[in-house]
Structures are given as C-alpha cells and as structure tokens.
Amino acid sequence: MSDGTLSPKKILMGALTAAVFAALLAAFIFPMFFMLSTSFKTLREANITPPSLIPSEFHPENYAAAWRRMNFPHYLLNSVFITVCTIAGQLLVCVPCAYAFAKKQFRFKNILFALVLFDLVVPAQAVFLSYYLIESRLGWIDTYRGLVVPFAYSAYTIFFLTQGFKTVPDEILDAARMDGSSEIQIIALIMAPIAKPVIIAATLFTFAYKWNDYFWTSILTTSEAVRTIPMAIQNLMPTDHTIREWHIIMSGNVMLFAPMFVIYILAGKYIKESFTYRGGR
Amino acid sequence: MNESPRVAGNIIRRMEMRFVNPILKSPYALILPALAICVCFSVIPALMAFRNSFFSVDYVAGVDRFAGMANYRSIFTDGAFIQVFRNTVVFTFFSAAFGIPLAVLTAVFLNSNSPLCNFTQGVVFTPHVISFVSVSTLWTFMMDPQFGILNYALGLLGIRPLMWLLGENTSLPSIIIVSVWKTLGYNVLIVVSALQTIPREVYESAMLDRSGPVRTFFHITLPMISPFFVFLITTCVAQTLNTFDLVRLMTGGGPKNSSNLMVYWIYETGYLHFQVGKAMAGAVIFLFFVGAVSLLNFALTSRRAYYQ
C-alpha cells in the first residue's frame, strides 16, 4: 500500500487476509458465544430451528438452577483444595529433587534420573488400572490423598525444573554454603528466587492440568465426596432417555468454563509462556 | 518480650542445622520423596500391568492364577480390540495430518506483532486452557443431529444433515474435528515460537532475491523451523494416542465401537467389565506400540533436527 495505488492484486490479497481472519475468529469465538447465548434461553428456544443467536428473552435464573442441580459449591471447594494441595506437594517433592539433579554429583545419578523420568516414556493413562488397584488396596479411593499424593510427583515438572536450575551459577550456591546456609535456605532463599520464572511456569502448568483433570478424578472416585468441577456437569445430564435441557447444561458449562477463562485473560501471557517453555525442552 | 521470637527462631535454626541439614546434604534424601512416589505410582503400576496381562484376575471372585497367553489370545480373537486399535491409528494419524499443517499455516499467517494477530492467536489458544469436559459438552450440543447448529449450517449450504456422534461413519471424524479444534492453539503457539527464531535478515535477503511468498515458505520458513517438528509431532501423537476424555464424554466409544479408542477400551474392559487380565494385555500391547511410535518418530525426524 506504500505507493498509494490499489492494484487488483492488492485488493484480492486484502480480501483474502480479511476472509482468513474472519474464518479463524468465527471458528473459535462463535462456539463460545453460542454457549453463552444458549445459557440464557428457555428450553423451547434452545431447541428451535433455525437457532436464534441472541435470546429473545434473558433467563439468568438458568444459572441458579444449574448451580443448585450441579451442587456447584461443593465441587468448586474440592477443586480449589485439591489443586492447591497438588501444587504445594509438587513444590515440596519436585523442587528438592530437581535441585539435586541439577546441582549435585552423586553415584547412579543418570540411572536415578532416568527412573524419575519414567512417566515421560510410559503414559500413565495406559496403566491406570494398576493405579486403581493400588489405591483401592491402600483405601485411598474417594479420598483427597488419593487425588493428591500420586500427583505430587511429576516427571514433566522435575525435568523442566532441572533444566531451569542448571542455569543458576554454582558460585552463588557455594558462597552461600560457605556462609553457613542450610540446604533449605539455599533452595528457598537463593535457588528459588533466581529460578522464579521456571517455577511459576511449572506451577501454572500443574494448575491448568489439575484444575481441568477429568480422567484421574473419574477413575479414582466413586462418589461425590471428593470430586472436582469437571465432574459436576454430569449431574445435569439425564440418566434416562428424556430430553437434554441444553439451556441449563450450557449455563453449567459457562460456570465450568469461567474460572479458567478469567485466569487465562488475567495471566494469559504467563500461561502461554509456561506452555512454550515445555516446548523448549 | 521482644527477644522471645528471635530466641525461638534461633533454636529452630540450630535444630535445623544440627538434625535436618546433615540429612538434606545428601542428594539421595532430596530425591527420595519423588523417587518413592515414582516407584509406587508409576513403576509398580507398569510392572503390575505386565504381570497381570499373563494372569486370570477376578477380584470379586478372588481368582488370581497364571493364564499364560490366554489374555493375549482373547484380545486378538475379539474383533473389538482390532477395530479399536485401527480406530486409534486412524484418529492419531488424521489429528496430526490435519492439525499440524493447519497449525503451520495459521502460525505463518499470524506471525506478526499487530494487535489483531495477537488477539486472534489468543482466541485460537483459548480451547487449550479449557477443560475437555467443557469443550466436549459444547460440541456435543452443536453436533446434535436434531437441533444442532452444525446441521442447520449444513442445511444452509444445501448439504443433508449428518448424524455426527451418533453415526457409525461420522463418529470418529467428529471427534477428530473436536480434537483438532482443541489443540490447534497449542500447536500454533509452538510454531510461532519456532518462527521467531528465524533471523529477520534471512527474510530480507529472500526479498532482495525476489523470492515470492510461496517459495519463501517452502525454501526458507519450513526448513528453518524443522527442528521444532520433532517436538510438535511427538507431543501431538502422544496426546492423541492417549485420548480418553473425548470418547468418554462424547460417544462412549459408540455406535458399535466406531469411535472407541485404546485408553477407553482399557477403561471399558478393565474398569467397567472387570476383565482385568484382558485389559492389562491390551495395555501392554498399547505401551509397546506407543514406545515404537515415539522411537520411530524420533529416528525419522532427528536426522535433520536437533533440540535447543
């Protein structure tokens, strides 16, 4: 456009670019918009053809119904509690482990590192039945510890933190050790602040993974007691062949969608970084 | 009174140096918690799966005896397993075959710092941070054969309505669409970060050489981001091979197993139908398959590619 003329080729290119943008945005915004729109409709309007884009009348009480029928607060509390515990557990378990692999020399280091990264090779989903058998023998089914303790270890987190910790200069750690710092102080007061971006990225990744997890929660629980919000929407699905109340289900789905979406809007930059970091391994 | 917290702090610190620190000085103590959980919940489950695949196991009746190859024979004579295995290969292949080129094109298109590009990239990434449950629920609604908006849109184009998740021929393609939709943003993110490693001068000299956009794409962009393809293909394949949520939430493997995938088959056989030995035999075969695919992928792509 710099020479100010509009050749047919340029107009065509401009139209093509606009069309691709429109198609991309439509493919990704429209489904979410339609979910939001349906969540305010009546049952009748949710099921008409042609579908209406904007509800003819707004029914925010759908949300109250979904909230009640999903028993949402119960699931939300479980989600918060389990996610916070898992993150805390991973920090306690994986940070010292990564510190040892990044900064210490010891016998069998390579073998032990390979063993700790076992999960990168063997997908745990394939052997979940054994998980279930072990947890049921321990009496951990339907307990918080059953959903937290095994997940305090993560091969991804350890690998990722080890790579990050390696960039911290040895001299700083040695100087602190000379000054009489304990190992806990070295990890918490020197290592962690320097490697903060890596730790934040790993934590965000664990957060997104655990908050959204459906697979392990559905395998390791049999009742509502410790279930998290991804399982709450089941309460809105009919158990027999009656019609699905899509307007209520979509309200529930918006509630499921909202917390992660808000966090993504607020911390999108960090979340994307945490995902690309993993890409950089 | 002011002294007491400091005194207490000193005592704690002295105790720490005396009793805790000597233990933590040993690297073995630092890795012990992680190692313990890893052994209990990763290594032992894998070994158990291997062991149980040769046993006839029934926890309700208390049966647990050696059965030789019986479990393996039973899954290969059972037509369902072969079908599920084929479904998994088809699902993974097409998810990658559509997903990755689409991601490369989108990334090249969005690779600029304009607000519109950043916004679009953010929008495309959104499904990746949202749970599979939310995504599945949304798409099940849109794919409803009777009232769904997708059939309405097809009608506008003059195409006959599809059965989507409820049709034997359309159920697997339907979940492939959802899988590509959900993972596109992640793949775009990886490709964009790869594109940003290409120095600007390379493009400038291509411009001077009067290289057109298509030529530049095939002769400069693609070769220069090839190192990232190993990672991209590996994660894409590993993720799609392990797909469970979409099947569980959208189709239940049906109709007639047409959209059943390996992990869901293991779940169905072992968890819902209590055929533990048979499910574990399937899991072992699946593990070897996953291992072989990642080795092959690594061997084929690492010749030209390298990690950062």
Side-chain angles (χ1 to χ4, degrees), chain A residues 180-201:
Chain A
S181 295
S182 67
E183 294 293 312
I184 294 178
Q185 283 174 317
I186 291 174
I187 295 174
L189 302 177
I190 297 167
M191 193 81 170
I194 298 178
K196 206 162 95 189
V198 187
I199 293 179
I200 291 177

Side-chain angles (χ1 to χ4, degrees), chain A residues 51-65:
Chain A
S52 58
L53 293 184
I54 309 279
S56 54
E57 38 185 325
F58 277 82
H59 290 277
E61 69 271 17
N62 290 348
Y63 283 85

Side-chain angles (χ1 to χ4, degrees), chain A residues 119 130-131 182-183 219 253 264, chain B residues 16 21 41-42 45 122 134 271:
Chain A
D119 259 13
S130 317
Y131 256 77
S182 67
E183 294 293 312
I219 304 259
N253 209 21
Y264 175 56
Chain B
E16 187 209 326
N21 206 44
F41 290 100
S42 287
S134 215
Y271 193 85

